[in-house]
Amino acid sequence: MVGQISSFTLHHCFVIGHLSLVILTMAITVPRPTLNWRERLYLPAIVAGLAITFKHFKNMLLGRTKVTMQYPEQKWDSSLPDHYRGAPALVRDEDGRVRCVACQLCEFICPPRAIKIIPGEIPTADRFAKVEKYPEQFDIDMIRCIFCGMCEEVCPEQAIFLRKDYAITGFTRADMMHHKEKLLEIGGIMHGVVLKWNERK
Ligand code: SF4
Ligand code: SF4
């Protein structure tokens, strides 16, 4: 029986190997184009490129094209698209409670491991005891954050959102660490259903 299985497996390996060889030998060779003397000089392409540059230069002189922005006096903010993803922030609900329930899903999913959460326990006598946990510490290292939005996607409590802030600066590494209080200050209040705290859930 073992011998039969081995020969069966060997036969299939041979067939798969043979098929791979056939596919490999079927590879298409793309021939390099033969350039004529004009194309080998590259001059027509250079002239065409310069013509585009001069066209933009002329439009800029005539005030038809604006190619620079006086940042930071002028900002992008009003032109940012709805789907723009900026820095992440934590939000509170209408009653001022932190929505995050310290499930740590965002910490787990964050690709550059920018999030660090230390959960705290909610006392059993508390009105919201069924939530069990709250974030005692919630830090996002903004040097690491790549604004990918995975934390927002994965959050079951709609507690973390990517806002439109993109100018996140600081003089030290410590400045770039957004702690819970700062994240909540940036996030503000978000209206809507909070699943675990909703008595009907
Ligand atoms: S936006 Fe992406 S990188 Fe930034 S904290 Fe969220 S999951 Fe991490
Ligand atoms: S922000 Fe959302 S995903 Fe992250 S720990 Fe809090 S509840 Fe969980």
Side-chain angles (χ1 to χ4, degrees):
M1 185 66 182
V2 174
Q4 278 177 345
I5 290 169
S6 307
S7 65
F8 179 80
T9 317
L10 272 174
H11 175 71
H12 277 76
C13 284
F14 175 75
V15 171
I16 291 165
H18 184 67
L19 276 174
S20 312
L21 193 66
V22 170
I23 290 166
L24 276 176
T25 50
M26 281 168 63
I28 300 166
T29 308
V30 181
R32 279 177 180 274
T34 325
L35 304 179
N36 60 32
W37 68 269
R38 275 183 67 225
E39 287 166 333
R40 264 182 280 153
L41 279 177
Y42 297 108
L43 272 177
I46 292 170
V47 171
L50 281 174
I52 293 171
T53 307
F54 280 119
K55 191 178 86 183
H56 285 303
F57 184 61
K58 186 190 77 184
N59 285 341
M60 195 190 73
L61 288 180
L62 296 175
R64 291 187 199 145
T65 320
K66 211 172 171 185
V67 290
T68 55
M69 179 183 275
Q70 300 302 319
Y71 185 85
E73 288 78 16
Q74 294 178 331
K75 290 208 168 98
W76 273 94
D77 302 27
S78 57
S79 336
L80 288 174
D82 288 343
H83 53 266
Y84 182 82
R85 295 192 306 237
L90 288 175
V91 292
R92 295 178 185 272
D93 68 4
E94 296 90 336
D95 300 324
R97 274 190 57 99
V98 178
R99 282 191 172 197
C100 175
V101 294
C103 69
Q104 294 177 279
L105 274 174
C106 55
E107 184 179 16
F108 177 77
I109 205 81
C110 177
R113 300 189 177 181
I115 302 177
K116 186 181 172 205
I117 301 167
I118 296 181
E121 249 184 77
I122 294 180
T124 42
D126 193 283
R127 179 179 154 219
F128 298 107
K130 73 171 186 167
V131 176
E132 297 169 15
K133 289 189 291 178
Y134 75 99
E136 198 171 289
Q137 189 183 323
F138 196 120
D139 302 327
I140 302 183
D141 186 345
M142 296 311 298
I143 295 178
R144 288 187 169 211
C145 178
I146 52 173
F147 300 179
C148 67
M150 299 279 274
C151 48
E152 179 182 320
E153 289 290 323
V154 81
C155 180
E157 297 298 326
Q158 300 167 330
I160 189 164
F161 281 88
L162 263 66
R163 293 168 47 89
K164 295 205 186 305
D165 312 66
Y166 54 86
I168 311 294
T169 55
F171 289 107
T172 62
R173 282 180 179 271
D175 287 347
M176 297 301 286
M177 187 66 82
H178 284 190
H179 299 297
K180 187 173 98 176
E181 288 67 30
K182 174 146 188 165
L183 292 168
L184 287 166
E185 186 191 316
I186 302 170
I189 291 172
M190 185 70 74
H191 296 263
V193 182
V194 180
L195 299 176
K196 280 199 173 181
W197 300 336
N198 188 332
E199 294 301 326
R200 287 167 292 181
K201 296 277 173 184

